[in-house]
Each structure stands twice: as structure tokens, then as C-alpha cells.
Amino acid sequence: MTDSGTPRLAPLTADDPEQVGAFRLIGRLGAGGMGVVYFGRDASGYPAAVKTVRAEYAADPGYRSRFEREVQLAQRVRGRCVAPLLAADPRARQPWLAVAYVPGPTLRDYIDRDGPLTGTDLTSFAAGLAEALTAIHREGIVHRDLKPDNVILAPDGPKVLDFGIAQALDEASMTRTDIVVGTPGWISPERYDGHRAGPASDMFCWGGLVAYAASGRQPFGTGPMETLRYRTINEAPDTAQAELPAALHEVVARSLSRAPEDRPDAAGVFAAITGSAVPADADVEGVTRVATRMLDAGWTVAIPDDSVDFPDAPLRTTGVRPPITFAGHSVREPAELGRLFAEHHDRAERWLGGDGAARLRAWLDEIGDGDYDRDYLAGIDGPDRAAIAVTAFIAAYLPDTPPRFRGHDVSADGLRRLAARGPAEHQVLSAAVLGEVPLIAAGHRCGHPECGERCARLERIGLQARETIDGALIIAANMGFRLAPSERDRAVAIGIETVDEPGRRVALRTALRGWTAISVPWWRTLAGDALSGDPGTAEGRSRIAALRLLTPFAQKAAPHAWRALLRPRAWLSPGMPRAAVLMFLLCCLTGFVLSGLLGDRYPEHPLPGADGYARGLAYQMELWPVYVPMAVCVAAMPRRFRVGAVLYTGLLVLLAGAVIGVLPRAPMLVPSIIRDPLLDGLTGIGGFGGLVVFLAFAAAMSCFVSLLVWAASSAPPAPVPAPLLSRQSALVRAAVGMPAVGVAIWLPLWALTMLFAAVSLESEPETSAAEVQATFAILTTVALPAALALGAVSYLLWRWTGAHAVYLSAIALVFLLSGLIDSGLAVPIPGAGTLSQGLLDTYGTGFGWVVLLILLPGVFVLTAWLSERLRYRRPRPRPRGGRPPYQPPVPPYHPSGYTGPTPPPGGGHPPAGWTGPNASWPTHPPTYPPNPPPYRP
């Protein structure tokens, strides 16, 4: 019997063995996803279906071990309604198993020919399936592929086939992406969400089979696999309440529940149908006895035993294969037919959509071919399924030629070429991705370095493209975009390119090309997320794809956003522009107040007339150009670092104001039209300069408070970034993280020491080079080990203290620096402190500018980066005040497949690509239902 249930025996080919184990092979029953199925008899003449495993699975040691484990479990399963496993040899060169031959049609074939089951036949069918699943589940086996083609209507009742074998295939699919266990329309909803199949998944299929047997209608109808997937996730199944007897209404409806925990187990279903309680600790034999009595009394379906007509001697081919005719050509080899399919793909799709699928299946069975999976020929109900069947046929028999889909090259390079073209090619890509064509075509040999027996690039595209595209479209929907179908097809092309070219370089290149859109707030956020995400995760790839997808819209909205940004009101209203202005004013006012307090301690300034308070102001004007990028950086800082950035920048301003008089002169970049009136006015007011300093202090405090309020404002928490060395073990992360935290503690100490040493050499020329080198020797031999030890402690305590331990350790070492220097506890290591002394000798006081502008700001950036990368070590914050934690909004489902009429922020108007609601939009399911992939750090 073939996998489709057609009881036709084909001759053995020259490559088929004469005997497998104790079974003498008579002929071929068919071929499926697992391998070839033979009809055989043992020495006593008992009929059996002997299934051999395909060579590609047999070559996988992991699959062999899983297969052996499942065979051992399946041999213990006994029941009235299961086809018993007779023998198996998982360790043979070609693993095989033999099950009792079950005569009769499959449930699908019977319903297509004779119509639905009724009366006691339907009730006996439901009870028999429940008895079979009870026996299977009691042995710890999950069927995973329960469908009408795996249920045989035998003369003595229904029989379940292939239990346990699908589990070995399902576990193999974890590493072999070409295997898809399950048939669309007969897969439970939770499996589409990434959960492994369990007994509840089988019970979902049980409910669907009973409803199908009663009505002849599949629970989710027919159609392309994506439509069936969407209906399974989002729509209620057809429970056939009108056709089912009252006794089955509730149990079938519960079995088809969307939540697995709401479904009854097999024993509970059997008890509900038969009225016989099944204790949890009861053996299966009691259930089987009840099922036997019920089937003997109620099963009236007349099924002849066709095995009696099968010959006892083996059937062998005559050596000449029968031909098959297609496109006016008569061919005898599948490879020749594959070449005709490639040349006449449109005609091949129409041919398979008619009676060609049945003719091709019969011809392949007749010639005994097992290389092509017949499942591709089942249920062809449209051009999409037909095109997939054609692609699979070409990939199976022409492995050395580029795979074709609707006449297009769908190798890895071919997909990239389609992605680089226009909307028509993007539509082809969408159909290819939905039909899992990259996985089907991965068996060809394309010759590039990543291509072995299968094309690794195509496998990667097939495995990752769907979740990347789904994530990018969900990001766009959450931002309020309503993408036209052509843009959704473009998202597919972008997703393929993103998966095939992993890394942040794509995001960086996109951000640089779209730099004009930096004025659009939502694009800045999107670009930051894409650049900071981990491209090795589904979420990181989705962010990159979303950035590439939405950047053209941001560029169209950029001119309006720039005009709005340049208005004075934008700089005075709440937001980043005002924060940058306030930070710049705080820096200028703080520096002026400090210069007023220091007064005449500054040396003479080269500008004429710069005396008194004007002298300090002249020195501060040299720093004003430096304050501009500092203010912008603080305003653009991630929200959780803004308070620290404001305080740290204020300290840098105070430090710079204290040493500016000693450092080499910086160029005066403030134009004279601004500089001269300020200096002349401050000189002219004489003794009232102190009042100006006081007013500047009040204004600085006002700016400081406003900035703290802005920095501490509530906001949703940022997503957890990828951990430090996320792909390495915890030991490697600790070996790198501890020294990195120690360097972050020691680096500010060394930078401040360099700055003060440069100032001392200028203000105190009698300081000897030996004294300076001794100071740096203490810093290297004593302070550095202490900082590394504190770094290790801080890393271990990160769960409770976070980055606070880093800041406190650095502050403690700064205050202890004077005591360390006075103690003279330097370890006598030759050359200690030489490098630092050499830098001072080479650059002199000019190195102070390096400290102020590069080293000290870099310390804050390094610490902030480490704080982000080590956030995974901290527990998730608990909600305060009884409020639940913030969750990003998920748009409700809309019949058009898009979100509500809220435009994305930025520019005060909807960007290009966004439209309002339209009643004329189609109501068919969206191409990509909103199922965001979970983030896995």
C-alpha cells in the first residue's frame, strides 16, 4: 500500500533487494518522505509492509540513534487499532522496519470514493482512534503526523500507521532543515508558535479526523499551506456539529481547542465515547478489550482484503520502463521529465493541476522510483502547490543544474538576483518563501564553498528568512505603517538579502546611505536598534530588515522633519533639541562661574583687554566649540544613561575650567562679532561682575534641574542587548568581562594622573622626571592589580550592584590615589611607568587635551557599553506600585492585515507609505500573520 493508501503493487527494480531481514520482498507499495515501502512476506507467508530508510537519513548517526530509540518504544505498543511493528533493524546498512500489512483504503480515499462515515461506523471510528492514541501515548510516544493518509480503514476497524516514526523525523528536523514534519491543515496551533508536539497535539488532530470523517470537510478547509497556517492560528475550525452525533459534540469541540491545556487526553476521550472509565494506572489491555467489543459490534464498513490477490513470487521489471507523455514528448526517465518541466514550467503547473499529478504518481510507482516524495503531488489545489511540486521534481532529478521555480533560478545567487530586481520578481520571491522553496531546492549542487551534499546558503535562507521577514513587518506595523502589497514583497527580498549577508555592515551601510533621515525621530530609534542588535539572532536580523525596508519612507519624510527641526519652537519645546541647548548652556554657564571664582589665578590671556572676569570668560570661549558635541552626545545618550551623562559632563566641564589656564592655547573659534561685545561689556561693568557671576550660577542651576527632570523622565525600558560574547561559554565571558571591568575602573585613575602630571610639569618646573615616573610606577604595579581585583568582585556582584560597583570603585581609587603615591609602595618591576613618562616627554601639557577630549569621555562610553552588555546578569525589574511592567504595544489584527490609523511619530505628518483606513481593502488573510519571534539573549 502506498502512503496515499492506493493498494497497487509495482514491480521491484534492479536496485531493490530481494530480501530485508526475514521478509522476502514481493513488490513496491510506494515511496514517501521516509523512504521506499515494499510488500513482503515472511517464511510463513504473513504479509508485511517493509519500510526502508532513505540513504540521507541513514548516513546521519543522530537520526539512527533516534530511530532505534523510537523503534524500541514502538515495539511495546499493542492495540486493536494500531498496525503492530513486527520487526526492525535500526543498525543495518539501510535501516528498516516491518509493520503488519493493513488492507484497505486510507480515510481520505474512502471519503473521496464513498462519502463520510455515519452511525455506529463513525462512533466506532472515533473510539478506535482514541484507543490507538491511548496505547501510543502510554508508551511515551507522540505520533506528530496524524492525518487522513495515516489512518487505514481496515476490515476490522481503523488502523493508525507510522506512530513514533514521525518523532524521529521531527527530531531530525532540528538539524536538517529540509524536513517538515506534519501536513498543513493537520498541525496544531502551538506547533506554529515553535512548541514541540505533545500528546495534546495528537488530540487536536484526533478531533479534526473525527470531524472530517463525519462531514468530509477538513477542519480548516483546503488551500495553499500559508492559508491553512493562517486559519489554524487565527480562525475557528469546522467541528462538523451538524453531522456529528450528540455524544461526540463536546469531546470533538474540546479536542479542537486552541489551547493545548484545554484538550482532553486520549483515555478521557475514549471514556467519554464508550462510557467506560479508564483509571490512570490501568493497563492498555482493558481499553483494548472495550474497543474490541465496540468495533466487533458496530463496525460495518465493508473492506475487502486485497492482499490475497498479491502474488507470492517477487514481481520484477522487464528492464524497459513504461513511458509517460508530457508536452508532446514521451520519456522513460524521471530526469528527462525534469528537463521538460524546467523548459515548460507553465505547462507543467497546469498539467499537475489537472490529472497530471495522479498520472505522475502512478508512473513513478510503476517504475519503482523512490527519489521523489509523493507528498508534493497530494492536494494540489492551485498554481502555487503545482509550482512547488515542479520545483521539487527538478531538484530531485537534476541536482547538478540550478533549481527552478516558475522559470526562475532559485539557487542562492538566483534568489539574490531576484531580490535586486523589480516588483514582478519580488512577487516570485514571496511565493517561493511561502512555499519553502529554498529548503526544497537546497539539495542541488551549486559548487560554491558552502555547498556540500546540500546548499548551506539555501538552507540558511529557508530556515531564517520567514522569521526575519515576519519580524520586520511586525516592527513596521507597530510603528503604524500600512504597507502596500508591493512593499510587502520588497520586504521578502530584503529579508533574503539580510539572511544571506549577515552582520552589522548591512545596517551600517543602510544608516550611512539614509543619513538625511536623521531628522526623523522614529528612524533614529530604528537605526539605533538595528546597529545595536545582535545580527546572529532573529530579532537582530528583523531590525536590520526593518531599517532597510523603512529607510526610503524616512528619506521622503526627512525634508519636512528638517524644516520642523529648524524652527525656533522646536528648540524650545521638550525633546532632544532642547536638551542639547540646555546642556550647552549648562556647560558655558558652569565654566563661566568657575572662571569667576578663580578670578586672577588664570594667567594673562593673549586677547587685549581681557582682565578680571573677562579673562576667565576668554579662556572659557576656547572651550565653547568643545561643548557643542558634548551637548549633542548627552542629548542623544540612551535614556538610562542620561542622568549619569549630565553629571559626568558637568564634572568634565569643572575639570577643564580648572586646568584651561595651564594647557596649551586652543584656537579661538568664537567669532569676534560675538566675542568682543561680551568681553567689553564684562570689563566695563567693573565690580558688578560678581553679580553677573551669581546670575550665571542661578541660570546654571536652573538648566541643571531641567536636565535632571528630562533625564529622569519615565519611559519604556530599552530591550536587553546581546550579552558580552553571547556565543561563548560563561567561563569565557567571565575571563573577558572581569579584566574589562577592571580596566574601566583603572583607566580614569590613569587619565587623571596624566592630566595632573602635565599640569604639574607646567606649573611646577622643579618637579623631576624621576618623581613622575615613580608615581606612574605605583599606578601600574599597585593600582592596576587593585583595579583588576575590584573588577572581578564587581563582575561577580553585578547581579545586585550593576555598574554602581564600577563607579564606586573608581571613585574610591581616585580618593586613595594621594595615599598610594605618598606610601611609595611600588613593586620593583623594571620599566614600570616608562610608557606614561614617555608620553608626557613627547607631548608635554598638550596631552592634557587628549585626556579631556578623548580619554575621560571614552571612560564613560566604555563603562556604559559594559553596563549594557552585562545587563543579562541582572534580574528583571519587578513592577512597582502594583502596576504591571511596560509591554510594547502589539497591534490588533485588522481584516486588511495591517494596524489602526495611527501614523508613526516624526515630522508631524504621516510618512510616505502610510495611509488611512480604507473600506475597500481586501479582507483576505495577510501574507505574514503577526507572530513576532521571541527574543533569546
Side-chain angles (χ1 to χ4, degrees):
M1 182 175 294
T2 66
D3 286 352
S4 64
T6 304
R8 185 173 183 212
L9 201 62
L12 299 172
T13 66
D15 297 331
D16 289 332
E18 295 182 357
Q19 186 160 337
V20 174
F23 299 91
R24 185 165 56 101
L25 302 186
I26 306 300
R28 282 189 171 215
L29 290 170
M34 178 183 173
V36 181
V37 185
Y38 301 97
F39 176 79
R41 298 182 186 274
D42 63 7
S44 64
Y46 189 83
V50 182
K51 303 186 177 185
T52 57
V53 175
R54 294 170 63 175
E56 59 186 277
Y57 302 147
D60 182 359
Y63 174 80
R64 278 181 175 270
S65 62
R66 290 187 292 269
F67 182 73
E68 182 175 7
R69 183 179 70 245
E70 297 307 321
V71 164
Q72 292 172 354
L73 293 175
Q75 284 176 329
R76 303 204 303 259
V77 176
R78 291 292 182 268
R80 168 66 181 264
C81 295
V82 296
L85 180 63
L86 303 177
D89 188 358
R91 300 183 181 181
R93 184 181 62 84
Q94 187 174 21
W96 61 272
L97 59 85
V99 298
Y101 176 75
V102 181
T106 65
L107 176 62
R108 186 186 303 278
D109 289 340
Y110 180 86
I111 289 179
D112 290 344
R113 185 186 66 206
D114 300 316
L117 299 175
T118 57
T120 59
D121 289 332
L122 178 61
T123 306
S124 300
F125 173 83
L129 253 62
E131 184 265 345
L133 291 178
T134 301
I136 293 171
H137 292 170
R138 285 285 176 90
E139 298 299 335
I141 301 175
V142 180
H143 194 294
R144 283 171 166 78
D145 195 20
L146 195 60
K147 59 184 179 180
D149 297 316
N150 279 335
V151 177
I152 301 293
L153 300 188
D156 59 344
K159 303 288 185 180
V160 176
L161 305 180
D162 288 346
F163 55 88
I165 307 307
Q167 178 162 342
L169 288 173
D170 192 21
E171 294 184 0
S173 70
M174 300 295 289
T175 55
R176 298 186 63 89
T177 57
D178 59 312
I179 303 173
V180 180
V181 177
T183 302
W186 300 98
I187 300 175
S188 56
E190 68 271 11
R191 298 192 65 190
Y192 284 120
D193 293 333
H195 299 286
R196 300 298 300 273
S201 301
D202 286 348
M203 296 313 300
F204 184 87
C205 298
W206 176 90
L209 285 172
V210 175
Y212 173 67
S215 65
R217 302 184 302 271
Q218 295 190 180
F220 298 100
T222 59
M225 63 181 67
E226 180 61 25
T227 301
L228 294 176
R229 174 178 181 263
Y230 172 80
R231 291 173 183 167
T232 304
I233 295 174
N234 297 283
E235 296 182 359
D238 179 2
T239 57
Q241 294 294 299
E243 292 83 359
L244 286 172
L248 295 178
H249 281 183
E250 181 183 358
V251 69
V252 170
R254 288 178 57 202
S255 297
L256 289 171
S257 298
R258 191 174 304 279
E261 60 271 13
D262 295 337
R263 301 171 200 153
D265 59 10
V269 167
F270 183 81
I273 297 174
T274 62
S276 301
V278 182
D281 56 348
D283 57 11
V284 182
E285 294 181 359
V287 178
T288 301
R289 285 194 295 270
V290 175
T292 300
R293 290 196 298 267
M294 187 172 187
L295 287 167
D296 290 344
W299 185 255
T300 63
V301 179
I303 304 293
D305 186 353
D306 53 24
S307 65
V308 298
D309 299 327
F310 288 167
D312 295 328
L315 295 176
R316 288 287 177 181
T317 59
T318 60
V320 179
R321 288 184 170 183
I324 188 171
T325 302
F326 170 74
H329 298 271
S330 180
V331 297
R332 298 180 184 274
E333 295 293 334
E336 297 178 11
L337 183 60
R339 280 187 282 271
L340 291 177
F341 278 2
E343 295 174 7
H344 309 282
H345 63 92
D346 291 334
R347 192 167 180 177
E349 293 171 16
R350 293 192 299 269
W351 184 67
L352 291 178
D355 63 344
R359 291 173 55 193
L360 180 58
R361 175 191 289 272
W363 180 68
L364 291 174
D365 290 340
E366 186 174 1
I367 66 175
D369 184 87
D371 292 336
Y372 183 62
D373 190 346
R374 309 298 196 272
D375 289 343
Y376 291 117
L377 299 176
I380 295 180
D381 50 9
D384 292 338
R385 296 291 294 272
I388 294 170
V390 171
T391 299
F393 195 91
I394 296 173
Y397 296 108
L398 300 176
D400 294 320
T401 62
R404 313 290 295 181
F405 178 73
R406 291 184 171 172
H408 296 276
D409 178 7
V410 288
S411 63
D413 293 331
L415 291 176
R416 292 297 300 270
R417 286 192 292 270
L418 290 175
R421 294 179 183 172
E425 288 76 12
H426 292 171
Q427 286 184 349
V428 175
L429 277 180
S430 295
V433 171
L434 291 177
E436 298 181 345
V437 169
L439 294 181
I440 295 172
H444 84 289
R445 293 186 284 269
C446 49
H448 57 72
E450 291 186 75
C451 188
E453 291 187 1
R454 293 183 58 81
C455 177
R457 286 176 64 191
L458 275 177
E459 285 199 336
R460 184 170 62 245
I461 292 173
L463 182 65
Q464 300 177 358
R466 283 288 294 275
E467 59 183 353
T468 299
I469 297 164
D470 286 349
L473 291 175
I474 290 167
I475 291 173
N478 288 342
M479 298 177 69
F481 280 92
R482 295 176 179 272
L483 298 178
S486 61
E487 292 298 331
R488 297 169 74 85
D489 292 338
R490 190 171 70 89
V492 175
I494 291 173
I496 290 175
E497 292 176 340
T498 302
V499 171
D500 193 46
E501 189 179 354
R504 290 191 179 89
R505 291 176 298 179
V506 177
L508 181 60
R509 187 164 59 244
T510 303
L512 293 176
R513 290 176 179 175
W515 68 270
T516 56
I518 197 172
S519 59
V520 181
W522 61 262
W523 185 86
R524 289 198 303 269
T525 303
L526 183 62
D529 291 343
L531 291 172
S532 61
D534 183 4
T537 63
E539 185 179 18
R541 291 189 297 270
S542 297
R543 291 177 180 178
I544 295 174
L547 176 66
R548 298 183 62 187
L549 176 65
L550 301 180
T551 293
F553 300 148
Q555 289 176 315
K556 292 180 180 179
H560 180 88
W562 279 113
R563 289 192 296 270
L565 185 63
L566 295 177
R567 294 170 185 165
R569 184 173 59 181
W571 296 88
L572 300 176
S573 59
M576 288 179 57
R578 188 178 73 167
V581 172
L582 289 176
M583 193 68 225
F584 177 74
L585 292 176
L586 176 63
C587 293
C588 295
L589 292 171
T590 302
F592 175 69
V593 171
L594 180 63
S595 65
L597 295 176
L598 294 178
D600 293 334
R601 296 183 182 180
Y602 286 118
E604 294 290 338
H605 197 277
L607 287 177
D611 296 324
Y613 292 109
R615 180 186 304 174
L617 180 60
Y619 277 105
Q620 288 299 319
M621 285 183 180
E622 297 178 1
L623 293 174
W624 284 4
V626 178
Y627 295 156
V628 173
M630 292 174 63
V632 172
C633 291
V634 171
M637 189 68 62
R639 193 177 296 270
R640 63 189 300 262
F641 295 111
R642 287 177 179 174
V643 174
V646 171
L647 296 175
Y648 193 81
T649 304
L651 292 176
L652 284 182
V653 171
L654 293 176
L655 185 61
V659 301
I660 183 66
V662 182
L663 299 180
R665 297 279 61 74
M668 177 63 71
L669 299 179
V670 180
S672 59
I673 193 174
I674 297 176
R675 179 187 65 223
D676 293 343
L678 290 177
L679 294 177
D680 294 341
L682 197 58
T683 302
I685 61 176
F688 290 98
L691 178 61
V692 175
V693 172
F694 176 76
L695 294 176
F697 175 76
M701 292 303 300
S702 176
C703 294
F704 181 69
V705 172
S706 299
L707 283 170
L708 288 182
V709 172
W710 163 78
S713 59
S714 61
V720 179
L724 181 68
L725 299 176
S726 57
R727 299 183 181 181
Q728 303 297 327
S729 65
L731 184 62
V732 174
R733 287 199 295 269
V736 175
M738 289 181 181
V741 174
V743 170
I745 294 174
W746 178 79
L747 195 57
L749 189 68
W750 178 77
L752 289 175
T753 305
M754 290 290 291
L755 178 63
F756 293 146
V759 172
S760 298
L761 291 175
E762 181 69 20
S763 59
E764 301 177 6
E766 66 277 5
T767 304
S768 64
E771 293 176 346
V772 174
Q773 183 174 349
T775 300
F776 285 112
I778 295 174
L779 197 66
T780 304
T781 60
V782 178
L784 179 58
L788 293 176
L790 290 172
V793 174
S794 300
Y795 185 89
L796 296 175
L797 299 179
W798 202 277
R799 175 178 177 85
W800 298 276
T801 64
H804 298 88
V806 179
Y807 303 135
L808 294 176
S809 300
I811 293 173
L813 284 181
V814 168
F815 281 107
L816 293 176
L817 179 60
S818 178
L820 289 174
I821 294 175
D822 294 339
S823 65
L825 294 177
V827 178
I829 298 178
T834 305
L835 177 61
S836 301
Q837 178 63 41
L839 290 174
L840 288 178
D841 292 341
T842 303
Y843 300 103
T845 54
F847 197 80
W849 287 110
V850 177
V851 173
L852 288 174
L853 302 182
I854 298 178
L855 291 181
L856 291 178
V859 167
F860 184 84
V861 173
L862 173 63
T863 307
W865 183 82
L866 283 174
S867 177
E868 282 290 278
R869 296 301 175 184
L870 295 177
R871 279 176 64 190
Y872 75 95
R873 295 183 59 82
R874 305 217 55 191
R876 294 185 179 274
R878 297 181 179 179
R880 298 180 181 178
R883 294 179 297 175
Y886 175 85
Q887 295 290 337
V890 177
Y893 171 71
H894 188 273
S896 66
Y898 309 117
T899 53
T902 303
H909 77 297
W914 183 90
T915 61
N918 189 337
S920 65
W921 283 337
T923 58
H924 59 77
T927 305
Y928 294 96
N931 292 320
Y935 174 73
R936 297 182 176 88

